[in-house]
Amino acid sequence: MEERKWGNQTLIREFILLGLGNIPEVQVLLFLLFLAIYIVTMSGNILIIALVMANRRLHTPMYFFLWNLSCLETCYSSTILPRMLASMLTGERTISVSGCITQLHFFGFLAATECYLLAAMSYDRYLAICKPLQYAICMNGRNCLWLVSGSWISGFLGSTIMTFLVSKLTFCGPNEIDHFFCDFTPMIKLSCSDISLTTLVTQILASMETLIPFLLTMTSYVCIMVTILRIPSTSGRQKAFSTCSSHLTMITIFYGTIIIVYVMPKNSTLRELNKVFSVFYTVLTPLANPLIYSLRNREVKEALRKFCSKYLAFSCFNALE
């Protein structure tokens, strides 16, 4: 491991990610599990991206947001899982300080962007259900582009500020990060610099990027629920509630675990459970999002059916030739 002197202390150049455990038998099972999750996650989200691009009937505001969400999830999963899988397979757990900061930047950027995107999607559903006569005006192409661009830019700026502050810290040992990726809290604990400013700014950013979008999302769904309760048809209410409950489940899991890990005050119990909570929003949410938001949707299933029919017809034609 490369080291260099800083004053009377030795600066470290690499971190060791302790991961989810050291038992070889467990590592094999975890590798196979997370490999399967990664393959399904990438396949599901790439399929959604292809279907939305190829089918003109899906060129609507809702599917524009879903397309962006699927693009984000492919990047989000690829920021953490490939490095994690390689570590499980080879046993190599070291990562350079610069590589760790880079992973932290992209993770923070994509996680914050997802918070904003989910809020934008909830606003879209609020207008569609509660203000249907104003939907076409409010959700025109320009406004959709502004909402999506604002989500990506806001996430990038927040993460860039955090990364800049972390990059100014010095690390002089120990070098073991008790996590399966380079997360902010376990990483800055290893710094021998003054971390008060970095911690304060990051907590403010975390609150802005999680609590505010979460409150906006929940406000939208409260309004949606009130509107649904006014639907006279029992079957109509049940169908609407079924869709909303699925969305709310994923939103609650994603936001809830992020708030617990990054915003709530830390105690010994929460610190021990941080890695478990982190699995939910880093691994399971990208896996479930295409299923919850898209593949259960009638229009997406119809587009998938047509795509499969065209593919089979094309394959049969080539086979006959």
Side-chain angles (χ1 to χ4, degrees), residues 50-65:
L51 289 176
V52 173
M53 291 181 66
N55 195 304
R56 288 187 175 274
R57 291 185 62 187
L58 301 182
H59 292 180
T60 62
M62 182 178 73
Y63 292 107
F64 177 62
F65 291 124

Side-chain angles (χ1 to χ4, degrees), residues 30-67:
L30 288 175
F31 172 80
L32 294 175
L33 174 62
F34 285 113
L35 177 62
I37 289 174
Y38 184 59
I39 292 172
V40 174
T41 299
M42 296 298 289
S43 301
N45 284 292
I46 290 173
L47 178 61
I48 297 303
I49 293 170
L51 289 176
V52 173
M53 291 181 66
N55 195 304
R56 288 187 175 274
R57 291 185 62 187
L58 301 182
H59 292 180
T60 62
M62 182 178 73
Y63 292 107
F64 177 62
F65 291 124
L66 288 173
W67 184 85

Side-chain angles (χ1 to χ4, degrees), residues 134-160:
Q134 301 176 22
Y135 182 79
I137 298 174
C138 295
M139 277 297 162
N140 55 44
R142 182 180 178 182
N143 289 342
C144 289
L145 187 60
W146 274 111
L147 284 171
V148 168
S149 300
S151 298
W152 286 95
I153 293 172
S154 298
F156 178 78
L157 290 177
S159 181
T160 300

Side-chain angles (χ1 to χ4, degrees), residues 103-273:
Q103 187 186 56
L104 175 66
H105 171 72
F106 281 102
F107 162 73
F109 163 42
L110 295 169
T113 302
E114 181 159 359
C115 290
Y116 290 120
L117 272 179
L118 291 176
M121 291 170 66
S122 68
Y123 178 64
D124 172 74
R125 291 298 86 204
Y126 160 75
L127 289 175
I129 295 174
C130 303
K131 307 284 184 181
L133 298 179
Q134 301 176 22
Y135 182 79
I137 298 174
C138 295
M139 277 297 162
N140 55 44
R142 182 180 178 182
N143 289 342
C144 289
L145 187 60
W146 274 111
L147 284 171
V148 168
S149 300
S151 298
W152 286 95
I153 293 172
S154 298
F156 178 78
L157 290 177
S159 181
T160 300
I161 293 171
M162 176 191 67
T163 305
F164 173 77
L165 293 172
V166 172
S167 68
K168 296 300 180 181
L169 301 177
T170 54
F171 299 92
C172 43
N175 68 333
E176 292 184 342
I177 297 178
D178 188 17
H179 218 310
F180 56 86
F181 70 99
C182 294
D183 201 3
F184 174 78
T185 302
M187 185 176 174
I188 64 166
K189 286 180 180 178
L190 305 181
S191 174
C192 48
S193 307
D194 180 9
I195 63 171
S196 56
L197 176 62
T198 303
T199 303
L200 176 62
V201 173
T202 302
Q203 286 179 344
I204 294 172
L205 290 172
S207 299
M208 292 173 58
E209 293 174 344
T210 55
L211 288 177
I212 294 176
F214 177 70
L215 291 175
L216 292 173
T217 300
M218 296 310 296
T219 301
S220 296
Y221 273 107
V222 167
C223 295
I224 289 171
M225 291 295 187
V226 171
T227 302
I228 290 173
L229 288 173
R230 294 173 181 168
I231 297 175
S233 168
T234 303
S235 60
R237 286 199 303 270
Q238 289 176 344
K239 184 177 180 181
F241 269 125
S242 175
T243 302
C244 289
S245 64
S246 298
H247 291 185
L248 282 171
T249 299
M250 292 309 305
I251 288 170
T252 302
I253 291 172
F254 178 76
Y255 278 121
T257 51
I258 280 187
I259 289 170
I260 289 172
V261 172
Y262 295 105
V263 179
M264 290 182 65
K266 299 294 184 292
N267 57 48
S268 57
T269 303
L270 286 180
R271 277 197 295 267
E272 292 299 321
L273 294 174

